[in-house]
């Protein structure tokens, strides 16, 4: 649909995704993922939707190459191309949620992946946003990302208050774990000795080597980096108190919580509550209601295919639309209403509010 030159790498969804398992810096706190292929043994539901010529080529903004957004987007784009005859969605490497919102606003992207936090702030024109970005609507929920705060059991840190005077690391500069980790420390009045912004693999190595005392990281459930770390070290998962969580959610209304079950990690003795951010797909309001309706419909009708792309897709369920955080695109709203999902008032598109 869009033919403008972008300062990003266009990757056709028709290629085979072959990514290196290391050597890149993950953006937006995303974890490396090597499950890249759509299982051809599982049949794709094919639509009889009549695609308009001007909407046959779309651009999808993801994140850094190799991150979950990139992998998830590559698989999703291929499924959509297989299920909607004539549709070609090109997957774009971008800086993540903030960049995706900005590119859609500039008319240089059709669809993008965002966290409800950064996307919500964009829609309201608060936080990082320099203005109100409202030329997009949300499509479907993808999966939640957890803000992990962790250390090793031989380091005397049991609560976030114990981090006072310690050396802490957050994610790469500008990543979700960088911004969110610093927000937690600032909001709760924690004064560290030093804060280092590092990619996830370097964070883990520095913790093992005693160069940092604790780390913030954003990843799925479970987080691959955490499973790897637990295989060689005894990990301490640091949980915020109810009062601390309430304070964070009051000041950051687009944040939420996630119950991490004790059986997810071997070093957890009981369920714990962690800060979390839902990831969602958004689309330009320039896309037709009919096309967006079909994209959302085919996403859910091909759920098994998505699971073969990335296991985080287990949460890509229609009932989880309540976590979208931003008003729906009219086409998405039509689909959810049609299947009987009750839509919270804050998600109803402005033009659908009587």
């Amino acid at each position: 649909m869009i033919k403008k030159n972008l300062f990003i790498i266009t990757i056709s969804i028709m290629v085979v995704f072959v990514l290196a398992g290391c050597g890149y810096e993950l953006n937006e706190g995303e974890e490396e993922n090597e499950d890249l292929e759509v299982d051809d043994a599982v049949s794709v539901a094919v639509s009889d939707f009549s695609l308009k010529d001007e909407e046959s080529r779309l651009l999808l903004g993801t994140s850094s190459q190799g991150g979950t957004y990139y992998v998830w987007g590559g698989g999703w784009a291929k499924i959509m191309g297989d299920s909607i005859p004539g549709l070609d969605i090109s997957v774009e490497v971008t800086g993540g949620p903030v960049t995706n919102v900005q590119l859609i606003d500039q008319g240089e992207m059709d669809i993008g992946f965002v966290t409800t936090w950064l996307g919500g702030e964009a829609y309201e024109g608060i936080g990082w946003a320099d203005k109100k970005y409202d030329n997009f609507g949300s499509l479907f929920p993808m999966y939640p990302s957890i803000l992990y705060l962790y250390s090793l059991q031989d380091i005397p840190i049991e609560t976030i208050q114990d981090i006072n005077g310690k050396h802490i690391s957050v994610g790469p500069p500008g990543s979700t774990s960088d911004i969110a980790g610093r927000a937690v420390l600032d909001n709760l009045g924690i004064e560290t000795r030093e804060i280092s912004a590092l990619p996830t693999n370097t964070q883990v190595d520095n913790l093992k080597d005693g160069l940092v005392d604790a780390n913030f990281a954003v990843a799925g459930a479970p987080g691959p980096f955490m499973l790897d770390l637990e295989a060689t070290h005894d990990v301490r998962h640091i949980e915020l108190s109810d009062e601390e969580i309430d304070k964070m959610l009051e000041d950051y209304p687009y944040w939420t919580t996630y119950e991490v079950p004790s059986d997810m990690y071997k070093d957890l003795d009981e369920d714990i509550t962690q800060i979390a951010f839902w990831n969602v797909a958004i689309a330009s309001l320039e896309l037709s209601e009919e096309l967006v309706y079909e994209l959302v419909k085919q996403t859910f009708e091909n759920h098994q295919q998505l699971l073969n792309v990335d296991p985080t897709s287990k949460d890509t369920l229609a009932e989880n639309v309540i976590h979208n955080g931003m008003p729906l695109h009219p086409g998405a709203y039509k689909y959810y209403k049609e299947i009987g999902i009750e839509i919270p008032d804050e998600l109803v598109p402005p033009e659908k509010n009587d």
Side-chain angles (χ1 to χ4, degrees):
M1 177 179 179
I2 294 169
K3 297 182 179 178
K4 295 183 180 180
N5 293 325
L6 305 177
F7 296 102
I8 45 184
I9 303 170
T10 302
I11 300 125
S12 171
I13 63 169
M14 301 307 292
V15 301
V16 178
F17 297 101
V18 182
L19 304 177
C22 59
Y24 54 77
E25 184 177 284
L26 299 177
N27 224 4
E28 296 306 325
E30 295 170 346
E31 285 303 310
E32 175 184 353
N33 188 313
E34 296 179 355
D35 288 332
L36 307 179
E37 296 183 359
V38 176
D39 187 355
D40 292 331
V42 179
S43 61
V44 175
V46 179
S47 168
D48 59 0
F49 175 68
S50 181
L51 189 67
K52 298 177 182 177
D53 288 344
E54 62 268 25
E55 293 188 323
S56 63
R57 290 182 172 274
L58 304 179
L59 298 182
L60 166 65
T62 59
S63 65
S64 58
Q65 187 169 346
T68 301
Y69 276 11
Y70 176 84
V71 174
W72 211 103
W76 178 78
K78 184 179 188 305
I79 293 168
M80 293 301 100
D82 290 344
S83 61
I84 303 177
L87 180 63
D88 181 10
I89 302 178
S90 292
V91 180
E92 308 295 334
V93 173
T94 72
V98 169
T99 307
N100 294 338
V101 167
Q102 293 170 330
L103 289 172
I104 288 176
D105 183 68
Q106 294 162 13
E108 296 182 345
M109 196 72 65
D110 300 296
I111 306 169
F113 294 158
V114 301
T115 60
T116 51
W117 171 24
L118 298 176
E121 288 191 340
Y123 191 84
E124 295 293 335
I126 60 176
W128 70 267
D130 55 355
K131 66 173 187 175
K132 184 176 173 64
Y133 293 84
D134 55 7
N135 189 34
F136 68 85
S138 63
L139 302 185
F140 53 82
M142 295 164 61
Y143 59 90
S145 290
I146 298 169
L147 178 63
Y148 291 93
L149 175 57
Y150 66 99
S151 185
L152 299 180
Q153 291 188 17
D154 59 1
I155 297 175
I157 296 178
E158 296 187 2
T159 72
I160 193 168
Q161 300 302 322
D162 297 330
I163 288 176
N164 279 294
K166 301 294 195 297
H167 183 184
I168 306 304
S169 76
V170 293
S175 67
T176 301
S177 55
D178 175 29
I179 300 171
R182 294 176 190 271
V184 170
L185 295 174
D186 290 344
N187 233 34
L188 300 182
I190 307 300
E191 297 183 3
T192 64
R193 183 177 80 250
E194 184 178 353
I195 300 176
S196 298
L198 305 168
T200 304
N201 57 342
T202 305
Q203 285 184 300
V204 171
D205 288 342
N206 283 7
L207 185 64
K208 292 177 180 178
D209 295 339
L211 300 178
V212 297
D213 299 301
N215 294 329
F216 280 102
V218 172
F225 80 93
M226 186 66 74
L227 296 175
D228 290 344
L229 180 58
E230 283 194 330
T232 58
H233 291 71
D234 294 327
V235 176
R236 174 173 286 119
H237 298 262
I238 302 169
E239 183 180 24
L240 300 185
S241 68
D242 291 344
E243 293 76 14
E244 289 166 340
I245 288 176
D246 288 344
K247 179 171 174 52
M248 295 309 305
L249 297 185
E250 181 180 352
D251 292 341
Y252 292 88
Y254 288 103
W255 291 18
T256 186
T257 58
Y258 186 92
E259 295 296 319
V260 181
S262 59
D263 60 358
M264 184 171 290
Y265 298 113
K266 74 176 184 65
D267 292 324
L268 270 182
D269 296 326
E270 58 185 8
D271 298 352
I272 62 172
T273 302
Q274 299 285 45
I275 295 292
F277 320 98
W278 272 86
N279 301 275
V280 302
I282 63 173
S284 169
L285 293 180
E286 299 301 316
L287 288 186
S288 70
E289 182 174 321
E290 294 77 18
L291 174 58
V292 169
Y293 170 93
E294 200 63 32
L295 289 171
V296 175
K297 178 181 178 181
Q298 293 304 321
T299 296
F300 294 120
E301 290 192 356
N302 289 285
H303 188 238
Q304 184 57 53
Q305 281 279 15
L306 280 174
L307 286 171
N308 293 328
V309 172
D310 192 291
T312 61
S313 302
K314 69 183 186 298
D315 292 308
T316 308
L317 304 171
E319 55 264 35
N320 283 334
V321 69
I322 60 173
H323 300 296
N324 271 29
M326 296 152 281
L328 293 163
H329 189 288
Y333 177 74
K334 177 183 176 182
Y335 175 78
Y336 294 115
K337 292 288 286 184
E338 186 176 279
I339 64 172
I341 298 291
E342 186 173 346
I343 305 299
D345 291 344
E346 64 271 18
L347 299 186
V348 176
E351 59 270 41
K352 300 293 183 180
N353 257 323
D354 297 327

